[in-house]
Amino acid sequence: MKTLLIVYHSMTGGTLQMANAAAESAAAAESALHVSLLRAADASAAHVLGADGYVFATPENLAAMSGQMKDFFDRTYYAALERLNGRPYAALICAGSDGRNAAEQIARIATGWRLRPIADPLIVCTHAQTPEEILRPKRISAMHLQQCAQLGATLAAGIVMGIF
Ligand SMILES: Cc1cc2nc3c(=O)[nH]c(=O)nc-3n(C[C@H](O)[C@H](O)[C@H](O)COP(=O)(O)O)c2cc1C
């Protein structure tokens, strides 16, 4: 059975909702696919090597992917280098107002791994600007969750059918 690995970090819940939406729709779309949803802190190089496709989901913090997401890539990058070539991936970014730097960082790492993006990074802005808003639990809109779900289902179908 093929595996879709979804690695995420989330501090105030927005990225988690996005990753959950992608995971649930991927599992619903393809019963012949194992969907593994892991916190970045729990994901290892073995998980990366054992998967057939990936979703990387992170907040943008301080104009970068979150520290825990970076730690995941730091721990796994060289162990997986040259061993993932051509596998598909998608990126989900939860941002207050921007998100482009986190997306760019993930794209550069994925390029190093020779992964293939199946879509542009999906950036969802929560419009959190003040300290209070930044620290408040996030609620991602149904429209944005639907976009995450579509990405998950598309990636799942492509992996199972061998399109990607
Ligand atoms: C320390 C910190 C720095 C942040 N820096 C940025 C930033 O550079 N750009 C941006 O668009 N949002 C920034 N944000 C806002 C978060 O991306 C936003 O709150 C997002 O919803 C967090 O995702 P989460 O709910 O999954 O934790 C920052 C948040 C924190 C806590």
Side-chain angles (χ1 to χ4, degrees), residues 104-134:
E104 176 64 22
Q105 290 177 330
I106 298 232
R108 289 185 68 166
I109 291 166
T111 298
W113 267 346
R114 306 280 186 264
L115 300 179
R116 289 193 294 144
I118 66 144
D120 289 338
L122 177 50
I123 298 175
V124 172
C125 284
T126 56
H127 304 291
Q129 305 278 4
T130 66
E132 292 77 18
E133 288 170 348
I134 292 273

Side-chain angles (χ1 to χ4, degrees), residues 1 26-34 160:
M1 188 183 258
E30 296 296 339
S31 57
L33 182 73
H34 174 59
V160 169

Side-chain angles (χ1 to χ4, degrees), residues 69-161:
M69 203 66 190
K70 176 69 161 42
D71 169 74
F72 156 73
F73 286 116
D74 288 348
R75 287 184 291 102
T76 58
Y77 185 79
Y78 279 101
L81 192 61
E82 302 294 354
R83 301 172 70 185
L84 309 177
N85 296 4
R87 295 183 196 176
Y89 85 99
L92 304 177
I93 313 293
C94 187
S97 55
D98 194 327
R100 288 170 298 178
N101 281 333
E104 176 64 22
Q105 290 177 330
I106 298 232
R108 289 185 68 166
I109 291 166
T111 298
W113 267 346
R114 306 280 186 264
L115 300 179
R116 289 193 294 144
I118 66 144
D120 289 338
L122 177 50
I123 298 175
V124 172
C125 284
T126 56
H127 304 291
Q129 305 278 4
T130 66
E132 292 77 18
E133 288 170 348
I134 292 273
L135 296 176
R136 196 176 291 152
K138 303 298 184 295
R139 167 81 64 91
I140 305 301
S141 73
M143 181 195 78
H144 286 130
L145 291 178
Q146 178 62 23
Q147 292 174 343
C148 298
Q150 273 173 0
L151 206 55
T154 302
L155 187 49
I159 291 170
V160 169
M161 288 190 268

